[in-house]
């Protein structure tokens, strides 16, 4: 039986939990991360790695604030992690192209107010810059729009880099560890009961993604958290060489540096079912082939699904529990967890350590 004590125990080994552990470890805390399966193998691994909300002008300002803080720092963070771990996260800035933008007036107003580059591409310019895309019939009613500052990274590599970096910094990472309950004395959390014993901690952070709500006592914004499934496809090397993310509707193409191509994604209320189905996979294939006809004679290399942690207002919950001292929450990042993760981790750490927060905390309170 384990009875070790830590400054902070983090429940959840996805990108939010791992980045939070990194911030706390760099602040000098002893940290343990608990993961019910393997580190970084749920929604964080399944994501596309796009470092932007998919249509940022459609998201709450609280989401964009976290995203923009992170976007300014991600390249340097990836370099820092590569130094610690030896793993290249493949950060690259190739922009994001939207082939349909019926809300172009709103988009332009948002870009101007946030000092973000947003460029209209007419049919001629679109064909010149993206000759391999079959888009001749997709810009008849409105121009395509390009966000040249958007970057992407290879999220499975980022997760491996985080794990190795945390090991280098002395963070204890426990996989296959199920949290059975929290022990609360008076109004303070004192310890965590796990399948291998009891862990004592000064603070506990719940960052378990779609599984968070079941671990947090009481009621609050976190009680509305629920899983939303997203299915993905991957085509092998040579699928497309340009670095630009391409969006149409809610679906996207994400080209990797080695020529692989991710196609995503569905949005499904399916509980905790992570299986893929032939109908959705065929729909994703049709979408990809409509933009890149050369894919029609190729088979996807693999497919998968992940469960995003969605909140009722699409704003993550980041901060202390309303009534239990020492209990903190960092979850509910839905479709933008990768891009928000550095800021979400820093904002939670600021509150846990009593530092001045990087952003106003009101919108994220539990």
């Amino acid at each position: 039986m384990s009875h070790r004590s830590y400054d902070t125990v983090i429940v959840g080994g996805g990108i939010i939990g791992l980045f939070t552990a990194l911030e706390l470890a760099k602040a000098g805390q002893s940290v343990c991360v608990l993961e019910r399966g393997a580190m970084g193998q749920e929604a964080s691994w399944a994501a596309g790695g796009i470092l932007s909300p998919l249509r940022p002008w459609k998201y709450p300002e609280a989401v964009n604030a976290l995203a923009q803080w992170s976007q300014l720092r991600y390249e340097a963070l990836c370099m820092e992690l590569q130094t610690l771990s030896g793993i290249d996260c493949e950060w690259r800035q190739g922009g994001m192209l939207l082939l349909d933008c019926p809300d172009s007036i709103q988009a332009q107003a948002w870009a101007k107010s946030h000092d973000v580059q947003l460029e209209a591409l007419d049919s001629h310019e679109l064909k010149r810059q993206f000759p391999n895309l079959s888009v001749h019939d997709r810009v008849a009613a409105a121009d395509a729009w390009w966000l040249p500052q958007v970057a992407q990274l290879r999220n499975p590599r980022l997760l491996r880099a985080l794990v190795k970096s945390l090991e280098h910094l002395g963070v204890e990472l426990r996989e296959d560890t199920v949290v059975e309950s929290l022990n609360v004395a008076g109004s303070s959390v004192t310890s965590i009961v796990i399948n291998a014993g009891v862990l004592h901690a000064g603070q506990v952070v719940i960052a378990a993604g779609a599984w968070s709500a079941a671990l947090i006592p009481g009621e609050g914004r976190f009680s509305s958290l629920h899983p939303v499934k997203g299915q993905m496809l991957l085509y092998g090397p040579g699928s497309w060489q340009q670095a630009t993310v391409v969006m149409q509707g809610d679906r996207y193409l994400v080209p990797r540096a080695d020529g692989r191509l991710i196609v995503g994604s569905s949005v499904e209320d399916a509980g905790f079912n992570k299986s893929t189905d032939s109908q959705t996979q065929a729909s994703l294939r049709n979408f990809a082939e409509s933009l890149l006809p050369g894919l029609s004679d190729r088979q996807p290399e693999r497919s998968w699904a992940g469960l995003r942690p969605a909140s009722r207002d699409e704003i993550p919950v980041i901060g202390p529990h309303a009534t239990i001292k020492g209990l903190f929450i960092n979850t509910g990042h839905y479709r933008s967890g990768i891009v928000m993760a550095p800021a979400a981790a820093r904002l939670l750490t600021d509150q846990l350590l009593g530092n001045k927060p990087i952003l106003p905390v009101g919108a994220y309170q539990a």
Side-chain angles (χ1 to χ4, degrees), residues 308-327:
R308 316 172 183 96
S311 66
R312 62 172 174 259
D313 54 11
E314 298 192 4
I315 299 174
V317 183
I318 307 170
H321 191 281
T323 60
I324 302 176
K325 295 178 182 178
L327 180 60

Side-chain angles (χ1 to χ4, degrees), residues 24-36:
L24 291 170
K26 289 195 292 187
Q29 285 216 337
S30 61
V31 182
C32 177
V33 180
L34 309 179
E35 169 53 47
R36 58 193 289 276

Side-chain angles (χ1 to χ4, degrees), residues 192-273:
I192 301 175
V193 180
I194 60 174
N195 55 339
V198 178
L199 300 178
H200 297 275
Q203 294 88 25
V204 174
V205 177
I206 304 297
W211 290 265
S212 295
L215 300 172
I216 306 171
E219 295 293 330
R221 288 181 55 240
F222 53 82
S223 62
S224 70
L225 294 171
H226 61 281
V228 177
K229 181 164 71 172
Q231 297 187 45
M232 310 279 272
L233 289 178
L234 177 69
Y235 286 88
S239 298
W240 194 31
Q241 298 303 317
Q242 289 183 271
T244 299
V245 174
V246 179
M247 278 200 65
Q248 184 182 25
D250 283 335
R251 299 200 165 171
Y252 49 77
L253 306 177
V254 185
R256 297 306 197 201
D258 62 2
R260 284 183 165 84
L261 182 70
I262 287 180
V263 183
S265 68
S266 63
V267 178
E268 306 170 59
D269 288 320
F272 289 92
N273 175 10

Side-chain angles (χ1 to χ4, degrees), residues 6 8-11 21 30-34 171-174 199:
Y6 305 87
T8 301
V9 171
I10 298 171
V11 182
S30 61
V31 182
C32 177
V33 180
L34 309 179
V171 173
E172 185 170 349
L173 304 175
R174 296 194 180 197
L199 300 178

Side-chain angles (χ1 to χ4, degrees), residues 10 15 89 95 115 117 120 143 158 169 212 217 220 262 303 334 336 359:
I10 298 171
I15 192 169
C89 301
D115 194 26
Q117 288 180 256
D143 291 336
L158 170 64
L169 293 171
S212 295
I262 287 180
S303 63
Y334 194 32
S336 302
L359 297 169

